[in-house]
Amino acid sequence: MTGESRLEWAETSGAEDMRRQDRYGGNFSIPEFKPWGTQGAVATVSIIFTFWIVLANAFLIAVILTSRYLRTQRPTLYVVQIAVADLAVGVFYCPLAADFYLQQVWTHGCESLFIWNTFLYYTTFVSVHALGLINLNRLGGHCCRLQFGPKVKLALNLTLIVLLWFYLVLFGQSVRNCRETEAVIIHPNLFCHADISYTGAITSALIGFFVPGVVTVIFLIIIIIKEKFSKSTHHELNRIENKVFSLKVLSGANAITLLMSLPCFVLNVGLSLGSCGSLECIHWSLPVTTVFEWLLFAKSGIQPAIWLINPDYKTAMLPVVRFIRRQPGMDTTELVEADDNSDEDEASNDGPEVHTHKPQCADEAPTDTGYGTSC
């Protein structure tokens, strides 16, 4: 069977399935169930997103890994989790989307199609929960002072990260258990349970986005009230880890993640609840759903730039930029050494009143500096 005849067969044999199903249609053998525009346009967008998201997040991870100061800051651990989740969008989702529309047929099997079709739940789950932990970490500086050493606090944060990924595994298993019972066509004579059920879509949206998103917003509101509208003592201000993220950067990161994800999940839940049952409404809602999905995944390319706006990240990325523009023969050892010496170089060039990374914890700071705080 030739490519043209195969597509013609898929269109005719899947017509009844498309009329019978309410959400995406039954024929996954052609990219008609997600009409993203012309073949060339969607392939171009997918390729652009691939390079954009991969380069942005790889650069952010490189900045963190090569900065001794950022590696010692506990909120940075959660930024790495967000960057890894966003990097997976560029490594997995976007290349498969480009391949799907270039070949005009899904050729990677049933399991990969299901993961690709539900990938937005996984990446959003990690991003929103990690943001909530960043807010909780900062809020802890306002509410209490834990008498623990830096190693104990680091161990506690690493434990939270392990629990986050264990929770993700359980979440992924619940998504897999919510597969649609009605199979769809992914190839001539090949059927697959490649979509998530209505109940599964609603449950996954609640667990992966809405509930943790509301908790994250509550944490952020309390932080803003405490730092903007409450009179904090000098001792309380010293206890806040505000040297890593300014309040504007933290608020911007929360806004980008939550607001750019919100339309897609609201529409998905609305469709799953049966708010769009007619065939005409489905044909209208599919392009809108696709635009909202691209908006959600665009967050993965924008988020790294938000973190890099922060002054400490700007300082830390200078050695990486110099390494990218390095002369032949420079290796990664020189990159790390350049970062270790960057603070001294900037202090000597900018004058005695310019202070770079200040120690955050009481046990990390000299007794006469006044920077001691409980991180």
Side-chain angles (χ1 to χ4, degrees), residues 74 150 153 241 358-366 371-375:
R74 284 172 285 280
K153 294 176 183 177
E241 287 189 333
K358 299 176 182 178
Q360 301 297 309
C361 301
D363 47 6
E364 298 174 0
Y371 299 140
T373 126
S374 74
C375 301

Side-chain angles (χ1 to χ4, degrees), residues 200-218:
I202 297 173
T203 304
S204 299
L206 288 174
I207 298 176
F209 176 72
F210 286 108
V211 173
V214 169
V215 175
T216 299
V217 170
I218 292 175

Side-chain angles (χ1 to χ4, degrees), residues 343-356:
D343 292 347
E344 299 177 2
D345 295 341
E346 291 178 9
S348 61
N349 293 334
D350 297 336
E353 298 196 7
V354 177
H355 300 284
T356 54

Side-chain angles (χ1 to χ4, degrees), residues 22-23 267 271 276 280-290:
D22 291 332
R23 201 152 73 114
L267 185 57
L271 294 176
C276 187
E280 180 181 356
C281 179
I282 293 173
H283 286 167
W284 172 84
S285 64
L286 285 176
V288 176
T289 303
T290 299

Side-chain angles (χ1 to χ4, degrees), residues 61-112:
I61 293 174
V63 168
I64 294 173
L65 293 180
T66 57
S67 172
R68 183 175 56 182
Y69 170 73
L70 294 181
R71 291 196 306 268
T72 62
Q73 302 306 307
R74 284 172 285 280
T76 305
L77 295 172
Y78 303 109
V79 176
V80 173
Q81 313 311 309
I82 298 174
V84 169
D86 291 337
L87 184 63
V89 175
V91 172
F92 175 80
Y93 186 89
C94 293
L96 288 181
D99 177 76
F100 189 17
Y101 282 87
L102 287 174
Q103 298 196 50
Q104 292 287 290
V105 63
W106 186 267
T107 60
H108 304 286
C110 176
E111 193 66 27
S112 61

